[in-house]
Amino acid sequence: MQRAGQRGGSQLCGTVARNGPFRQFRRELMGTVRHIIESQQFDREYLSTLFERAHAFSEQGKSRELAGFTMASLFYEPSTRTRFSFEAAMYRLGGNVITTENAREFSSLAKGESLEDTIRIISGYVDLIVMRHNEIGAAKRAAEISPVPIINGGDGAGQHPTQALLDLYTLFRKFNRLDGLRVAMVGDLRYGRTVRSLAYLLSKYDNVELIFVAPPVCQMHEDIKDFLSGKSVNWREESDLDAVLPHIDSVYMTRIQKERFHDQQEFKQANNAYRLTRENVSKMAQEAIILHPLPRVGEIDPAVDNDHRAMYFEQARNGLWIRMALIQQLLTGDRN
Amino acid sequence: MQRAGQRGGSQLCGTVARNGPFRQFRRELMGTVRHIIESQQFDREYLSTLFERAHAFSEQGKSRELAGFTMASLFYEPSTRTRFSFEAAMYRLGGNVITTENAREFSSLAKGESLEDTIRIISGYVDLIVMRHNEIGAAKRAAEISPVPIINGGDGAGQHPTQALLDLYTLFRKFNRLDGLRVAMVGDLRYGRTVRSLAYLLSKYDNVELIFVAPPVCQMHEDIKDFLSGKSVNWREESDLDAVLPHIDSVYMTRIQKERFHDQQEFKQANNAYRLTRENVSKMAQEAIILHPLPRVGEIDPAVDNDHRAMYFEQARNGLWIRMALIQQLLTGDRN
Amino acid sequence: MQRAGQRGGSQLCGTVARNGPFRQFRRELMGTVRHIIESQQFDREYLSTLFERAHAFSEQGKSRELAGFTMASLFYEPSTRTRFSFEAAMYRLGGNVITTENAREFSSLAKGESLEDTIRIISGYVDLIVMRHNEIGAAKRAAEISPVPIINGGDGAGQHPTQALLDLYTLFRKFNRLDGLRVAMVGDLRYGRTVRSLAYLLSKYDNVELIFVAPPVCQMHEDIKDFLSGKSVNWREESDLDAVLPHIDSVYMTRIQKERFHDQQEFKQANNAYRLTRENVSKMAQEAIILHPLPRVGEIDPAVDNDHRAMYFEQARNGLWIRMALIQQLLTGDRN
């Protein structure tokens, strides 16, 4: 596997030289991001610097840089996977964590305390808040009044920016570039926020090609397709996964949700058509990779796990390095 | 804002000089408090020393003094706010925390394990237990048999001493004295344990004046009024909040609970009568402050938050310094 | 109380000398245990080394050896007692913990994520996983695919090996030997996994005598009795607890579960017959000890707690030292 090194970083930053002035520039750049709320807030330069840092953490594993800092995990709905990833990241930076999956209790006990009041109180206790909420826009509201950084760990059907960043990082880490990648997105493209965010982020890079493979009821929404066309991104829709697989750099699988289908026969058909097995995976290029935000159910046969192209567990692990890089940036700025 | 400095401390301690013997005295004094169970257990000397320490922590922010110490948060009912405050305090002292909001499970699983057995087991694992329980007197029972310090984080309708201490500390921190303060307590004075405890603690100081403003069904209970009269504390009841506001040093607001009222029209009336807005707050003295144990619902208009007299979020934050001071005292005694 | 010192350790190891080669041997020995799954995996040599370490931790109390390491508590059902013991052990070693009592949510959210996928993801975040699961064999399945050590914190009606180890350690710590001990096991011997595991472990030692005292519906299962007979362990069943008590080194009490009885009169009778009181305890040998895995309900009168033979709370505390020793071994091997 190729990895994003310093070369990758400077490549992404275009013509900016990696010398003194560049470092100064990066410092200012990273310093301007005070909260992590939505995928739209990042530009190529920020992403490049972030990936460099994530890569450094993946080599270093642990640090003591944030000893004495405390993070609050404020989860209004449980998401153990996401919470664990953030908390492990904080501990690997030397910090501490206070945590609840029960944050709704704040308002129930209060019979109506506002999110803003809750954030004002918690932000008096800790240095950073990671929050997950069931309502779209909750993280943004929190960020507007919080004196400490807010990271959006998912707000309902809205954004889950750190997932989008780790997806993009996994591609970059493999190919050492993002320009020119051909990515197939498969499964539930309509309701899955990960594919929407990834498509958005990839649109920042040159000559990217996106192929959408979904059952009719789960097609990518018009808003994203219009956006991509406006940015001159090369995209198209296909229905035959097997025909697509040999010609891409990465296939991004997602779980098709049974409940989207009225006709269960139709669901079964769609689900089987969009399933990776050892057979169709063998037709992929040797350098291609398989991604999945997880959890998966039937859409990737466990027999594929041992294939060198299966990268979804490493992708989950990459979330650790991305989250370490984000937390470190928010709490220390760029001090290197 | 004025702050409690060393002068404040020695002032509260009356004629005791801040020299060697005084330090010795304080060491012994603080050493005698082994558990934090109820407001009644503190005298002026203890409070004075505690506030000095809390103030030092508020300037210092963090410490590594309790590295290697572990606290258990044993919550029989969830109270994320209180739990977070204690846990953030422990982490800021360099210690660690094991935590449950599910402590009831101990006894359910056991189909009847006693609180005493639970405490005996947990106290074998950790250095300090913060507990919240739904039954009055639970913390006291725990303290009677625990070999490690117990802090009462609220026992049903009973005590919540650390809330009372942070309320008192916030007044002291602002005025650098407690003698002679005029405090209006507003809202649910009958069932709210915070106002009862604060009235009790203020009775230890000279020339304090308390004004109780509550709807008829929520009036302060006779027991506290008798107690205050016995201590010659100057108290009275008023019904017109606007008439009271211009003549006090602090207004302590509490949430009026809808369910106390049979007649919902009556509730609405009471709730509107006892509500702080920019208009009536503007009549308060410039140096006066607004307190609230939080959560608030409608009794303080959010438009008041930006007024310099609004001190309730800072009050919540003061809980951090008070809890750091309490934990440090319990685990180390006075070593300074 | 006598304690397991270095002599105890070398005694258990038979003729192996405590010199250079022995140390080398121990290092290899301990290094071979990669997961803690079931009582059957331990031999006398492993146990001996483990108990030496546990004893060292009980004297030392705390260490910083695992600073920077993170453990996940992955509990599919709540067991606050077990979880607290493991987490306190990890913190006493200087490590950190991420925790959930809500692990079932992984699979519910995923509508069917496999345990194996969950473990693959979590093992990418942390250095060690302690898991409790409602299904027999879950820990073993996890260990088969996990790149980091798994400790079984109880899998349904299956195994709870760390409880068995702390029980055995408590006996060893008291008597400085395990050969020749006479142990009565009392109560629910049929469904209680602790007595089954302890009987199994004791069978490794010479001249052990086991007396089973249980109501007819709760008798020890044939599989264990056959196993013990095959190993030539001296065992017998008795119904009169008072007649047994004077002639044993230890009585291991367990809670009789009301729901096992059809006839509630029969339950009452059995429960009263198998109850320790100051009266029958006074007939035990002065050196004998009373054990109980806890929680207890009525089977040991609280009046017995002050008797010097009552060792059940110390037994719970010994779990801390055993778990510290296990975690340290898994994460560092024998480096001494």
Side-chain angles (χ1 to χ4, degrees):
Chain A
M1 197 190 71
Q2 287 178 293
R3 296 208 168 174
Q6 299 203 330
R7 264 184 324 138
S10 65
Q11 183 186 338
L12 270 180
C13 284
T15 56
V16 183
R18 283 187 68 75
N19 46 22
F22 172 61
R23 293 201 158 272
Q24 179 58 34
F25 168 73
R26 280 199 308 155
R27 185 154 35 241
E28 284 161 10
L29 173 73
M30 297 296 276
T32 59
V33 173
R34 288 189 52 239
H35 307 279
I36 306 296
I37 304 304
E38 55 183 18
S39 305
Q40 288 86 325
Q41 76 184 93
F42 311 113
D43 56 26
R44 284 180 67 143
E45 284 70 26
Y46 183 92
L47 295 169
S48 170
T49 308
L50 183 73
F51 293 169
E52 277 183 54
R53 287 176 181 223
H55 184 66
F57 280 124
S58 79
E59 308 234 298
Q60 189 185 345
K62 287 163 190 179
S63 144
R64 294 290 303 160
E65 202 173 336
L66 296 188
F69 284 82
T70 305
M71 176 180 101
S73 290
L74 192 66
F75 277 54
Y76 283 77
E77 55 182 21
S79 176
T80 311
R81 190 188 317 270
T82 300
R83 186 169 62 82
F84 269 22
S85 180
F86 274 111
E87 295 182 356
M90 186 62 178
Y91 282 126
R92 280 173 184 263
L93 289 163
N96 288 310
V97 178
I98 59 177
T99 188
T100 186
E101 296 192 319
N102 214 2
R104 236 176 261 248
E105 179 268 335
F106 266 105
S107 41
S108 80
L109 188 130
K111 288 161 189 153
E113 183 178 47
S114 69
L115 174 65
E116 283 79 2
D117 275 15
T118 302
I119 295 295
R120 279 190 192 98
I121 296 165
I122 306 293
S123 62
Y125 299 158
V126 297
D127 304 294
L128 170 74
I129 297 173
V130 175
M131 68 180 277
R132 186 183 191 97
H133 203 283
N134 44 307
E135 283 171 32
I136 296 180
K140 201 167 192 174
R141 281 169 55 205
E144 275 160 13
I145 54 100
S146 175
V148 305
I150 301 286
I151 300 180
N152 183 1
D155 54 347
Q159 294 265 348
H160 190 6
T162 61
Q163 176 72 45
L165 292 174
L166 75 90
D167 291 343
L168 197 68
Y169 172 58
T170 303
L171 286 169
F172 177 66
R173 189 171 160 136
K174 167 66 183 179
F175 297 105
N176 205 18
R177 63 181 167 95
L178 291 164
D179 293 328
L181 290 187
R182 292 158 302 166
V183 179
M185 299 180 171
V186 181
D188 181 0
L189 307 186
R190 189 167 198 84
Y191 302 99
R193 55 188 172 190
T194 58
V195 283
R196 292 172 53 86
S197 295
L198 183 57
Y200 174 85
L201 286 177
L202 282 170
S203 76
K204 295 180 184 297
Y205 297 89
D206 300 332
N207 302 315
V208 164
E209 194 181 328
L210 300 179
I211 303 109
F212 302 134
V213 185
V217 297
C218 298
Q219 295 279 329
M220 184 66 88
H221 216 282
E222 294 305 317
D223 62 343
I224 293 281
K225 293 193 282 196
D226 291 349
F227 173 83
L228 294 173
S229 298
K231 299 274 269 185
S232 304
V233 174
N234 189 347
W235 67 268
R236 68 178 193 276
E237 293 177 325
E238 297 282 355
S239 61
D240 182 355
L241 178 58
D242 286 7
V244 168
L245 287 176
H247 310 295
I248 52 174
D249 296 303
S250 176
V251 56
Y252 191 101
M253 300 295 293
T254 64
R255 186 164 58 89
I256 293 186
Q257 291 171 65
K258 212 173 174 175
E259 54 273 30
R260 304 289 179 210
F261 289 78
H262 296 293
D263 182 344
Q264 288 309 307
Q265 190 57 36
E266 213 176 294
F267 167 71
K268 258 193 185 156
Q269 218 173 333
N271 212 24
N272 283 335
Y274 303 134
R275 192 162 183 267
L276 292 187
T277 61
R278 291 181 69 150
E279 204 193 331
N280 58 12
V281 163
S282 71
K283 296 171 193 156
M284 293 175 67
Q286 287 299 318
E287 288 299 304
I289 59 172
I290 304 164
L291 300 181
H292 193 301
L294 303 178
R296 56 136 169 219
V297 187
E299 60 278 6
I300 303 178
D301 186 329
V304 172
D305 295 359
N306 292 325
D307 193 284
H308 69 278
R309 287 162 285 212
M311 196 75 85
Y312 26 95
F313 293 116
E314 187 163 335
Q315 177 188 2
R317 187 168 163 83
N318 285 341
L320 212 50
W321 318 130
I322 283 290
R323 288 173 178 125
M324 286 176 80
L326 288 168
I327 293 170
Q328 186 233 29
Q329 181 252 304
L330 291 173
L331 289 180
T332 67
D334 187 354
R335 295 192 307 204
N336 303 314
Chain B
M1 194 191 72
Q2 287 179 295
R3 295 206 168 175
Q6 298 203 332
R7 262 187 322 137
S10 65
Q11 180 186 340
L12 270 181
C13 284
T15 57
V16 182
R18 284 187 67 77
N19 46 22
F22 172 61
R23 292 200 159 272
Q24 179 60 32
F25 168 73
R26 281 198 308 155
R27 185 154 35 241
E28 286 161 7
L29 173 72
M30 297 296 276
T32 59
V33 172
R34 289 189 50 239
H35 307 278
I36 307 297
I37 305 303
E38 54 182 20
S39 305
Q40 288 85 324
Q41 75 184 93
F42 311 113
D43 56 25
R44 283 179 67 142
E45 283 70 27
Y46 182 93
L47 295 170
S48 169
T49 308
L50 183 73
F51 293 169
E52 276 182 53
R53 288 176 181 222
H55 184 66
F57 281 123
S58 79
E59 307 233 299
Q60 189 184 343
K62 288 162 190 179
S63 145
R64 294 290 303 159
E65 203 174 336
L66 297 188
F69 284 82
T70 306
M71 176 180 100
S73 291
L74 191 65
F75 277 54
Y76 283 78
E77 55 181 22
S79 175
T80 311
R81 190 188 317 270
T82 299
R83 185 168 64 80
F84 269 23
S85 180
F86 274 111
E87 295 182 356
M90 187 62 179
Y91 282 126
R92 280 173 184 263
L93 289 162
N96 288 310
V97 178
I98 58 179
T99 187
T100 186
E101 296 191 321
N102 215 1
R104 235 177 260 249
E105 179 268 334
F106 265 104
S107 40
S108 79
L109 186 131
K111 288 160 189 153
E113 183 178 48
S114 70
L115 174 66
E116 283 78 2
D117 275 16
T118 301
I119 295 295
R120 280 190 191 98
I121 295 166
I122 305 294
S123 63
Y125 300 157
V126 297
D127 303 295
L128 169 74
I129 297 172
V130 175
M131 68 181 278
R132 186 184 191 97
H133 203 284
N134 44 308
E135 283 172 32
I136 295 180
K140 200 167 193 173
R141 283 168 54 204
E144 274 160 13
I145 53 100
S146 174
V148 304
I150 301 286
I151 300 180
N152 184 1
D155 55 347
Q159 294 266 347
H160 191 5
T162 60
Q163 176 72 46
L165 292 173
L166 76 89
D167 291 343
L168 197 68
Y169 172 58
T170 303
L171 286 168
F172 177 65
R173 189 172 160 136
K174 167 67 184 180
F175 296 105
N176 205 17
R177 64 180 167 95
L178 291 163
D179 294 327
L181 290 187
R182 293 158 301 167
V183 178
M185 298 180 170
V186 181
D188 181 0
L189 307 186
R190 188 165 199 85
Y191 303 99
R193 55 187 172 189
T194 58
V195 283
R196 291 172 53 86
S197 295
L198 183 57
Y200 174 84
L201 285 176
L202 282 170
S203 77
K204 295 182 184 297
Y205 297 89
D206 300 332
N207 302 317
V208 164
E209 193 179 329
L210 300 179
I211 303 108
F212 303 134
V213 186
V217 298
C218 298
Q219 294 280 329
M220 185 65 88
H221 216 281
E222 294 304 316
D223 63 343
I224 293 281
K225 294 193 280 196
D226 289 349
F227 173 83
L228 293 172
S229 297
K231 299 273 268 186
S232 304
V233 175
N234 189 349
W235 67 267
R236 68 180 192 278
E237 293 176 324
E238 297 282 355
S239 61
D240 182 357
L241 179 59
D242 286 8
V244 168
L245 286 175
H247 311 295
I248 52 175
D249 297 301
S250 176
V251 56
Y252 190 102
M253 299 297 292
T254 63
R255 185 164 58 89
I256 294 185
Q257 292 171 65
K258 211 173 174 176
E259 55 272 32
R260 305 289 179 212
F261 289 78
H262 297 291
D263 181 345
Q264 288 309 307
Q265 190 57 36
E266 215 176 291
F267 166 71
K268 257 191 185 159
Q269 219 173 332
N271 212 24
N272 283 333
Y274 303 134
R275 191 161 184 268
L276 293 186
T277 61
R278 290 181 68 151
E279 203 192 333
N280 57 13
V281 163
S282 72
K283 296 172 193 155
M284 293 176 66
Q286 287 299 319
E287 288 299 303
I289 59 173
I290 305 164
L291 301 180
H292 193 301
L294 304 178
R296 56 136 170 219
V297 188
E299 61 277 7
I300 302 178
D301 185 330
V304 172
D305 296 359
N306 291 325
D307 192 285
H308 70 278
R309 285 161 287 210
M311 196 75 83
Y312 25 95
F313 292 117
E314 188 164 334
Q315 178 188 1
R317 187 167 163 84
N318 285 340
L320 210 52
W321 318 130
I322 282 289
R323 287 173 178 126
M324 286 177 79
L326 288 168
I327 292 170
Q328 186 233 30
Q329 181 252 305
L330 291 173
L331 289 180
T332 67
D334 187 354
R335 296 193 306 206
N336 302 314
Chain C
M1 196 189 72
Q2 286 179 294
R3 296 209 167 172
Q6 299 203 332
R7 265 184 322 137
S10 65
Q11 181 185 338
L12 269 180
C13 284
T15 56
V16 183
R18 284 187 66 76
N19 46 23
F22 173 62
R23 292 201 159 271
Q24 178 60 32
F25 167 74
R26 281 198 308 156
R27 185 153 35 239
E28 286 161 8
L29 172 72
M30 297 294 276
T32 60
V33 173
R34 288 188 51 240
H35 306 279
I36 306 296
I37 305 302
E38 56 183 18
S39 305
Q40 288 86 325
Q41 75 185 92
F42 310 113
D43 57 24
R44 284 180 65 142
E45 284 69 27
Y46 182 92
L47 294 170
S48 169
T49 308
L50 183 73
F51 292 169
E52 276 182 54
R53 288 176 182 224
H55 184 66
F57 280 123
S58 79
E59 306 234 300
Q60 190 183 344
K62 287 161 191 181
S63 145
R64 294 290 303 161
E65 203 173 335
L66 297 188
F69 285 81
T70 305
M71 176 179 101
S73 291
L74 192 64
F75 276 55
Y76 284 77
E77 55 182 21
S79 175
T80 311
R81 189 187 318 271
T82 300
R83 185 169 63 81
F84 270 22
S85 181
F86 274 111
E87 296 182 355
M90 187 62 179
Y91 282 126
R92 280 174 184 264
L93 288 162
N96 287 311
V97 179
I98 59 178
T99 188
T100 185
E101 296 191 319
N102 214 1
R104 235 176 260 250
E105 179 269 333
F106 266 105
S107 40
S108 80
L109 187 131
K111 288 160 190 155
E113 183 178 46
S114 70
L115 174 65
E116 283 78 2
D117 275 16
T118 302
I119 295 295
R120 279 189 191 97
I121 296 165
I122 307 293
S123 63
Y125 299 157
V126 297
D127 303 294
L128 170 75
I129 297 171
V130 175
M131 67 180 279
R132 186 183 191 99
H133 203 283
N134 43 308
E135 284 172 31
I136 295 181
K140 201 168 193 171
R141 281 169 54 204
E144 274 160 13
I145 53 99
S146 175
V148 304
I150 300 286
I151 300 180
N152 183 0
D155 54 348
Q159 294 265 346
H160 191 4
T162 60
Q163 176 71 46
L165 292 174
L166 77 89
D167 291 343
L168 197 69
Y169 172 57
T170 304
L171 286 169
F172 177 65
R173 191 173 159 134
K174 167 66 184 179
F175 296 105
N176 205 17
R177 64 180 168 95
L178 291 164
D179 294 327
L181 289 188
R182 293 159 299 167
V183 178
M185 298 179 172
V186 181
D188 181 0
L189 307 186
R190 189 165 199 85
Y191 303 100
R193 54 187 174 189
T194 58
V195 283
R196 291 172 54 85
S197 295
L198 183 57
Y200 174 85
L201 285 177
L202 282 170
S203 77
K204 295 181 184 295
Y205 297 88
D206 300 332
N207 302 315
V208 163
E209 194 180 328
L210 301 179
I211 303 108
F212 302 134
V213 186
V217 297
C218 298
Q219 294 279 330
M220 184 67 88
H221 218 281
E222 293 304 317
D223 63 343
I224 292 281
K225 293 194 281 197
D226 290 349
F227 172 83
L228 293 172
S229 296
K231 299 272 269 185
S232 304
V233 175
N234 189 348
W235 66 269
R236 68 181 195 278
E237 293 177 324
E238 298 282 356
S239 62
D240 183 356
L241 178 59
D242 285 7
V244 168
L245 286 176
H247 310 295
I248 51 174
D249 296 304
S250 176
V251 56
Y252 190 102
M253 300 296 292
T254 64
R255 186 165 58 89
I256 295 185
Q257 291 170 65
K258 211 172 173 175
E259 54 273 30
R260 304 290 178 211
F261 290 78
H262 296 292
D263 181 344
Q264 288 310 307
Q265 190 57 36
E266 214 176 291
F267 166 71
K268 257 192 186 160
Q269 219 173 331
N271 212 24
N272 283 334
Y274 302 135
R275 190 159 186 270
L276 293 187
T277 61
R278 290 182 69 151
E279 204 192 332
N280 58 12
V281 163
S282 72
K283 296 172 193 156
M284 292 175 67
Q286 286 299 317
E287 289 298 305
I289 59 172
I290 304 164
L291 301 180
H292 193 301
L294 303 178
R296 58 139 169 215
V297 186
E299 61 277 7
I300 302 178
D301 185 329
V304 172
D305 295 359
N306 292 326
D307 192 285
H308 69 280
R309 286 162 286 210
M311 195 75 84
Y312 25 94
F313 293 117
E314 187 163 335
Q315 177 188 1
R317 187 168 162 83
N318 285 340
L320 211 51
W321 318 130
I322 283 289
R323 288 172 177 125
M324 286 176 79
L326 288 168
I327 292 170
Q328 186 234 27
Q329 181 252 305
L330 291 173
L331 288 181
T332 66
D334 187 353
R335 296 192 307 204
N336 302 314

